[in-house]
Amino acid sequence: MSTPSTNIEREKIKGIFSSQTVQKIGTGTTVRRTISKMYWQAEELDSGAIEIQALNTSYIPAGPKKEISKEEFLSKYSPEPEFYVSTVYPKMQELNSTIQRGEKARQAGATYSAEFEFQKAIGVDADNVKANFGLGLTYMERGETHKANDIFERLVKLDAAFKQEHKHLFNEFGINLRKTGMQDQAIDYYNRALEMSSRDENLHYNMARAYYEKGELKSCIEHLEKALEINPEHEEAQKFLDYAKKMQSQNAQR
């Protein structure tokens, strides 16, 4: 007869929680206490620490995330499952639907409808990665590079924009920066990405293409060599490197 396992894995902490702060307003006999409540999205990490992110005024998780100890979290934060069901989940679903409408409109070539939907989403969550990527791509497709540059400057500051979950949009955005002649922005963009993932041969390859289109063969070759150092089987990088070295040699002979 086997004994039941005592190593039952407990569920990790995840959901919407609240914290309260008590403030004193006034002085002497007029002093009164007010309690302010804040809502947070919380998730327990593999390390055991809790990652929290505040909900904005639209009740969407937004802004910077921070880690706190489990002990601090359990002593100061209270679960709010009903609030999640009644308020947060519907708001997040509504935001996702808005972004999906924007993406469908952009893919159909209806750029003004796409702009409307993405702007609406950004009004709810200014740092939403998908909405910002979508709006930036919409502007590039319309040739409005000055507006696309504003979005680029916002995205390049967001760590979340360079995470694996956004890889598809991230790649499309970088390629479109280059194709629309925004080579300096493309280089800044890929440099930012390399800070997050320095061992990505495709980032070095894309950086090389941007430098080539700027006419900077030396930097182009350096990044192609890095791409091949990471992945010697990268055929496109090898062909591009051979061509770039040939062009460099021809330029030196002139």
Side-chain angles (χ1 to χ4, degrees):
M1 182 177 170
S2 60
T3 55
S5 171
T6 55
N7 295 323
I8 298 171
E9 191 175 336
R10 66 166 181 81
E11 253 184 70
K12 288 184 175 177
I13 294 167
K14 185 175 183 179
I16 300 300
F17 292 76
S18 65
S19 64
Q20 293 186 353
T21 55
V22 179
Q23 293 177 314
K24 289 183 180 179
I25 297 175
T27 56
T29 56
T30 63
V31 70
R32 60 189 178 87
R33 289 172 29 159
T34 63
I35 297 173
S36 60
K37 194 172 188 179
M38 274 192 74
Y39 292 97
W40 306 80
Q41 178 171 270
E43 183 170 2
E44 185 176 347
L45 305 175
D46 290 340
S47 64
I50 311 296
E51 183 180 73
I52 59 172
Q53 184 179 29
L55 304 191
N56 64 15
T57 53
S58 300
Y59 301 115
I60 298 291
K65 297 178 180 180
K66 66 177 182 178
E67 291 182 27
I68 61 173
S69 70
K70 190 182 294 182
E71 290 74 18
E72 181 184 353
F73 179 79
L74 292 174
S75 66
K76 295 181 180 178
Y77 294 78
S78 304
E80 297 280 355
E82 296 86 358
F83 185 72
Y84 172 75
V85 172
S86 66
T87 305
V88 180
Y89 181 74
K91 291 282 187 182
M92 291 176 73
Q93 288 293 96
E94 186 181 333
L95 176 62
N96 289 335
S97 295
T98 302
I99 293 168
Q100 285 172 9
R101 287 195 301 271
E103 196 53 44
K104 283 179 183 176
R106 185 178 76 81
Q107 290 171 358
T111 58
Y112 288 97
S113 294
E115 179 186 10
F116 173 79
E117 297 294 354
F118 289 133
Q119 288 280 25
K120 185 179 174 184
I122 288 169
V124 172
D125 179 7
D127 291 339
N128 186 279
V129 172
K130 288 183 178 179
N132 276 285
F133 271 134
L135 188 59
L137 288 164
T138 299
Y139 287 144
M140 281 189 268
E141 284 160 15
R142 287 216 303 254
E144 297 180 17
T145 53
H146 61 295
K147 289 185 178 179
N149 188 61
D150 291 342
I151 301 298
F152 154 77
E153 288 182 355
R154 186 185 298 166
L155 276 168
V156 84
K157 294 171 186 172
L158 298 177
D159 286 351
F162 302 96
K163 290 189 175 175
Q164 191 65 34
E165 64 194 279
H166 300 122
K167 195 77 171 178
H168 170 68
L169 283 168
F170 160 80
N171 285 334
E172 189 178 354
F173 192 80
I175 289 165
N176 275 274
L177 281 172
R178 185 173 53 77
K179 284 184 175 177
T180 51
M182 300 171 73
Q183 308 307 337
D184 289 334
Q185 289 91 335
I187 288 165
D188 287 345
Y189 182 74
Y190 287 126
N191 265 323
R192 180 73 173 84
L194 284 167
E195 288 176 16
M196 306 284 287
S197 181
S198 62
R199 298 291 295 171
D200 186 327
E201 68 270 27
N202 292 313
L203 286 176
H204 286 290
Y205 178 78
N206 286 326
M207 180 82 90
R209 293 191 69 170
Y211 273 121
Y212 177 81
E213 288 173 25
K214 277 194 77 179
E216 297 184 21
L217 282 173
K218 183 174 180 290
S219 295
C220 167
I221 288 168
E222 285 174 1
H223 280 281
L224 288 170
E225 287 175 341
K226 284 177 184 174
L228 287 162
E229 180 187 315
I230 296 164
N231 178 12
E233 305 299 319
H234 198 305
E235 290 183 21
E236 288 182 358
Q238 187 60 63
K239 288 176 185 175
F240 192 3
L241 179 60
D242 293 342
Y243 176 75
K245 283 185 172 178
K246 183 179 176 183
M247 291 292 292
Q248 188 182 52
S249 178
Q250 288 175 358
N251 290 346
Q253 290 170 15
R254 288 174 187 164

